Amino acid sequence: MEFGIFNAVSLLPQYRAAHGAAAEHDRIMDELAYIRAADAAGFKYSWSSEHHFLTDYSHLSANESFMAFAAAQTKNIHLGSGIFNLTPPANHPARIAERVAMLDHLSEGRFEFGTGRGSSTTEQKGFGIEDQELTREMVAETLPQIVRMWKEEDYSYDGKFFSMPTRNILPKPYTNPHPPLWVAAGSPGTFEMAARQGLGVLCFAFGKPEGFAPLIEKYKKDIQNAEPVGDYVNNNVMITTQMLCLEDGGRARDVFADIDSNVHLSLVFRYLDTFPRPPGVPDWPNVIPPSTPEQINKNIESGLIAVGSPDEVARSIQRFADTGADQLSFGMLSSSMPIELCEEAVATFGKHVLPQFDKDPVHSTKRQREAQVGA
């Protein structure tokens, strides 16, 4: 199993209250420090979300600029869009093709192209999309066209959601033939589509890791017969969850109880209203109750959450590994966690836990690409 981090520039009300007028800038700088720490600790991936208009949830709207800056500050970690929104009203497909290729050049082959349709009607309607079901069709139309744009010097297209006269979209990718392709998935249908099209999957854990096992098993079976939308298959499933690994497990418990993870989870269901909403989730501004110390301890002891001492966190990681997932990413700053604590936990995880699970120095996306198409 490989490891990554998830960046969103979340500004929970608690973080905003503590930092005042500097909160937005401080959290952006925190996220960059998080990436540098992950790079130094041996994490292989950083995923930067794209969200718009979501005040408390995410301020990472221009993730192409953010990732370009992060590329200049790192050496080994791959920078991934988690996601670039492929709906033409939000981002013209030619602009996406240009951004991906430029990031691929600036990072010298360390860019991963995560795609999706957006998960919030606040965002979709902000760009004039009134029927969110149309976003599925938009992504299905645009992704194959972006791949064409990278290949052709005389590209043209006349489609349902966008059209272009003959143009040469530049630059072309640095990576041969293009960066790895991923798609955000929140339903069995999207897992199945990803497998058919040879796409890696980006998803989030909101319950027991074992819930992913049947989805991943079917994905792994179906992708063997993929007809890839790109020029090679990216057989990968990434799951995002939380992590807090400290030398002192008792301290990790105390800290975890005080970083407002329940507020972030409440905001997920406030804003990402295309996600299935579990029963019992209260309407904002009411929030999901925080876990009690007894609940936190029980979840740690069972390996349900990656919180605690290195041995306790490793037990949780094993539960995710047993599902067949290829990568686990941690959205640590999607909370009110201070950056200093985040950096400490990343270093501790990198020292004690990561080497137990990731023994291959080469990124799996690079290994797969080179096996299928050459260097």
Side-chain angles (χ1 to χ4, degrees), residues 111-162:
F111 183 70
E112 307 267 336
F113 182 29
T115 69
R117 62 192 183 98
S119 50
S120 168
T121 56
T122 298
E123 297 173 281
Q124 292 164 355
K125 291 181 179 180
F127 290 111
I129 303 171
E130 294 297 325
D131 181 0
Q132 64 109 353
E133 286 303 313
L134 285 178
T135 60
R136 298 181 188 274
E137 295 181 50
M138 291 176 181
V139 172
E141 178 177 325
T142 55
L143 183 55
Q145 295 307 312
I146 289 170
V147 175
R148 277 189 59 205
M149 292 175 190
W150 292 329
K151 295 179 182 180
E152 300 176 14
E153 294 187 359
D154 296 315
Y155 170 85
S156 63
Y157 181 68
D158 186 12
K160 178 176 180 180
F161 296 107
F162 82 100

Side-chain angles (χ1 to χ4, degrees), residues 311-346:
D311 287 345
E312 290 170 326
V313 169
R315 187 163 57 242
S316 175
I317 302 306
Q318 188 61 57
R319 284 187 68 170
F320 281 98
D322 290 344
T323 69
D326 303 285
Q327 182 190 150
L328 196 59
S329 288
F330 305 119
M332 297 174 67
L333 294 186
S334 296
S335 67
S336 57
M337 185 185 297
I339 183 56
E340 296 80 11
L341 185 65
C342 176
E343 292 170 320
E344 179 185 351
V346 165

Side-chain angles (χ1 to χ4, degrees), residues 187-210:
S187 67
T190 309
F191 268 80
E192 293 171 11
M193 178 276 292
R196 288 195 307 270
Q197 296 189 353
L199 305 173
V201 167
L202 307 171
C203 59
F204 292 86
F206 295 120
K208 295 181 179 180
E210 290 76 14

Side-chain angles (χ1 to χ4, degrees), residues 107-288:
S107 65
E108 296 192 292
R110 291 189 288 128
F111 183 70
E112 307 267 336
F113 182 29
T115 69
R117 62 192 183 98
S119 50
S120 168
T121 56
T122 298
E123 297 173 281
Q124 292 164 355
K125 291 181 179 180
F127 290 111
I129 303 171
E130 294 297 325
D131 181 0
Q132 64 109 353
E133 286 303 313
L134 285 178
T135 60
R136 298 181 188 274
E137 295 181 50
M138 291 176 181
V139 172
E141 178 177 325
T142 55
L143 183 55
Q145 295 307 312
I146 289 170
V147 175
R148 277 189 59 205
M149 292 175 190
W150 292 329
K151 295 179 182 180
E152 300 176 14
E153 294 187 359
D154 296 315
Y155 170 85
S156 63
Y157 181 68
D158 186 12
K160 178 176 180 180
F161 296 107
F162 82 100
S163 298
M164 283 191 71
T166 301
R167 293 292 186 274
N168 188 12
I169 289 84
L170 300 169
K172 303 303 183 188
Y174 171 85
T175 297
N176 176 38
H178 55 70
L181 305 181
W182 302 72
V183 65
S187 67
T190 309
F191 268 80
E192 293 171 11
M193 178 276 292
R196 288 195 307 270
Q197 296 189 353
L199 305 173
V201 167
L202 307 171
C203 59
F204 292 86
F206 295 120
K208 295 181 179 180
E210 290 76 14
F212 285 101
L215 292 171
I216 295 172
E217 182 180 7
K218 189 172 190 313
Y219 169 89
K220 294 295 182 180
K221 179 181 178 181
D222 291 350
I223 203 168
Q224 299 305 314
N225 300 310
E227 296 181 3
V229 66
D231 289 343
Y232 58 98
V233 171
N234 179 23
N235 184 346
N236 257 306
V237 175
M238 181 278 269
I239 301 174
T240 300
T241 187
Q242 182 59 277
M243 184 271 283
L244 183 59
C245 181
L246 299 176
E247 299 281 359
D248 182 343
R251 177 172 168 243
R253 286 162 168 78
D254 293 340
V255 169
F256 186 73
D258 198 37
I259 60 171
D260 306 299
S261 293
N262 62 308
V263 178
H264 173 257
L265 187 57
S266 301
L267 287 163
V268 168
F269 297 110
R270 174 192 180 190
Y271 281 124
L272 307 190
D273 50 3
T274 63
F275 282 15
R277 186 182 183 91
V281 174
D283 292 330
W284 187 267
N286 298 312
V287 300
I288 297 167

